Amino acid sequence: MSEILEIVMLISFGASWPFNIYRSYKAKSARGKSIFFLVFVFIGYICGIISKLYSQTYMADFSNKWYVLIFYCLNLIMVGVDIGLYVRNKRIDVQNEQNEG
C-alpha cells in the first residue's frame, strides 16, 4: 500500500511539471520563478532515487517494484528541463534589459 501512495504522490507532483515547463517555454522570462525552489526539488528527487537504491527491502523486490523508480526519474527529468528553461529565460531577461537600456 505504501508504494501505491508513493506513486500517487509522484504522479500528483509530476502532473504539474509539463504545464510548468510549457509556461516557462512560452513565457521566455524567468520572472516569478525561483531557481532555489527548482534546485531543492531536483535534489529531493535525487535523494528519493538514492533512497530507493539503498533500501534493502525495495531492492530485494525490485523486479516487482521497478516502476516506482520510473516515476522518480521522469519527475527528475522534468525538473531538470525546467531548470534549463530557467537558465535560458534568465539570459533572455538579461538581453532584454540590455536592449532597453
Side-chain angles (χ1 to χ4, degrees), residues 51-89:
S51 167
K52 288 295 181 192
L53 296 176
Y54 273 100
S55 169
Q56 291 179 355
T57 306
Y58 178 78
M59 292 307 289
D61 198 21
F62 183 75
S63 63
N64 293 323
K65 298 179 181 179
W66 58 268
Y67 53 87
V68 176
L69 271 181
I70 297 296
F71 289 106
Y72 274 103
C73 292
L74 286 173
N75 286 351
L76 180 71
I77 290 167
M78 288 188 285
V79 175
V81 168
D82 205 23
I83 289 172
L85 286 171
Y86 176 89
V87 171
R88 178 201 78 157
N89 290 346

Side-chain angles (χ1 to χ4, degrees), residues 1-9 65 67-68:
M1 181 64 167
S2 66
E3 289 88 16
I4 293 172
L5 293 173
E6 185 176 20
I7 290 171
V8 170
M9 183 249 340
K65 298 179 181 179
Y67 53 87
V68 176

Side-chain angles (χ1 to χ4, degrees), residues 28-46:
K28 295 184 181 174
S29 175
R31 286 181 226 142
K33 299 278 287 195
S34 170
I35 189 65
F36 296 111
F37 173 78
L38 293 172
V39 169
F40 282 126
V41 172
F42 192 81
I43 291 169
Y45 283 126
I46 289 172

